[in-house]
Amino acid sequence: RRVQRWPRVSLVEGGPVSEEGMSELLLVPIAFVTSCLAAVIGMGGGVLLIALMPGLVPTAAIIPLHAFTQLASNLSRAVFGWRAIDPTIIPAFTLGAIAGAWIGGGIYASLDLRWLPAVIGILILVFTWLPLPRVRGAGQVSLALLGFYQTGLGMLAGATGPLGAAVLLRRSSERDWLVVNTAVYMGLNHLLRFIAFSALGFSLAPWWQLVLGMVAAGISGSWVGTRLRHRVPEADFGRWFRLLITLLAARMIALPFL
């Protein structure tokens, strides 16, 4: 099996420069906005962030950087709403997620990175428009299955969208509970995926300045979004969000051919 080789990234004063020569610092305000969005509605921020990353950082760095940034964003969102955390969802989800990260990492290691943006774009379209596999029930087995396929798919797509919403809704439909516990299980998802990418050879060291900026922006966005959550009506903006994500996914699919 071919082992994934992470390309060296050139460094200049002020941090890493992407292969395309574009400013990756644009990702700092993008991380703030997408984290704020996720804190308000509970989902969508990670998908939007990864759809905007191609062209701003090298292909090999997209999903690992996304995983670490979203780890900080989700964990901060959980901390800000800690009173709503349900610890009973953690053990089963974690066990399933470990298996998913292991299998997904093996598949990722065999990919040609040139086609990675197209793979992510196609999976985003699938998650956005097609019926998703449903995990039946609300018990521990359903949580383990959720951890397995969400983390496994996340190794390839970065952001897997609201795959777990149906499982959590069977436990509670209260808005704070859903937002906070989505952050809990997605934080675990991103943590395990980042560990898997580190085992494959990815290092944050060349990216420390960008990572610090995106983490700070993500935490700030979580703080602002948490305070806006009860002031923003639960309006149906899903159609416009799906349209935006579709356009960004189409751009990602086209990138390898440009």
Side-chain angles (χ1 to χ4, degrees):
R1 187 184 68 179
R2 182 171 64 88
V3 177
Q4 178 67 61
R5 300 293 182 185
W6 300 97
R8 293 185 179 274
V9 180
S10 61
L11 299 179
V12 296
E13 185 178 357
V17 175
S18 68
E19 293 167 345
E20 295 81 3
M22 299 180 69
S23 175
E24 67 279 350
L25 294 180
L26 287 173
L27 289 173
V28 175
I30 289 172
F32 173 84
V33 172
T34 55
S35 181
C36 186
L37 172 68
V40 172
I41 67 173
M43 62 188 68
V47 178
L48 186 56
L49 175 61
I50 201 166
L52 292 167
M53 291 180 75
L56 296 177
V57 293
T59 301
I62 291 174
I63 299 184
L65 288 176
H66 178 271
F68 191 81
T69 303
Q70 288 296 288
L71 168 63
S73 177
N74 280 279
L75 290 185
S76 64
R77 190 155 63 250
V79 169
F80 292 142
W82 64 270
R83 291 180 180 85
I85 291 177
D86 182 354
T88 64
I89 72 171
I90 295 175
F93 180 88
T94 301
L95 288 175
I98 290 172
W102 179 64
I103 294 175
I107 297 173
Y108 183 91
S110 66
L111 288 177
D112 182 343
L113 289 180
R114 178 181 172 226
W115 298 101
L116 183 61
V119 171
I120 297 172
I122 291 170
L123 289 174
I124 286 176
L125 291 179
V126 170
F127 300 147
T128 302
W129 292 104
L130 297 182
L132 299 174
R134 293 192 176 186
V135 176
R136 298 184 178 276
Q140 298 302 305
V141 174
S142 65
L143 287 169
L145 289 174
L146 172 65
F148 175 76
Y149 77 72
Q150 184 152 27
T151 305
L153 287 173
M155 291 295 297
L156 306 177
T160 47
L163 290 176
V167 174
L168 293 190
L169 277 170
R170 295 189 188 104
R171 288 177 165 254
S172 175
S173 59
E174 198 274 323
R175 189 179 188 181
D176 280 344
W177 190 95
L178 282 173
V179 170
V180 171
N181 286 288
T182 295
V184 169
Y185 84 76
M186 287 305 298
L188 290 169
N189 175 312
H190 293 301
L191 173 61
L192 291 168
R193 290 194 301 111
F194 182 74
I195 291 173
F197 286 123
S198 297
L200 288 172
F202 181 80
S203 173
L204 279 180
W207 300 95
W208 69 269
Q209 291 166 309
L210 176 63
V211 167
L212 283 181
M214 292 182 70
V215 166
I219 294 173
S220 300
S222 292
W223 186 85
V224 172
T226 297
R227 278 145 186 79
L228 290 177
R229 188 181 305 145
H230 297 290
R231 301 183 182 183
V232 176
E234 297 186 49
D236 181 17
F237 62 92
R239 180 178 62 177
W240 296 106
F241 182 77
R242 285 195 298 269
L243 177 60
L244 173 61
I245 289 298
T246 298
L247 293 174
L248 292 172
R251 168 183 170 268
M252 297 173 75
I253 293 170
L255 279 177
F257 303 97
L258 298 179

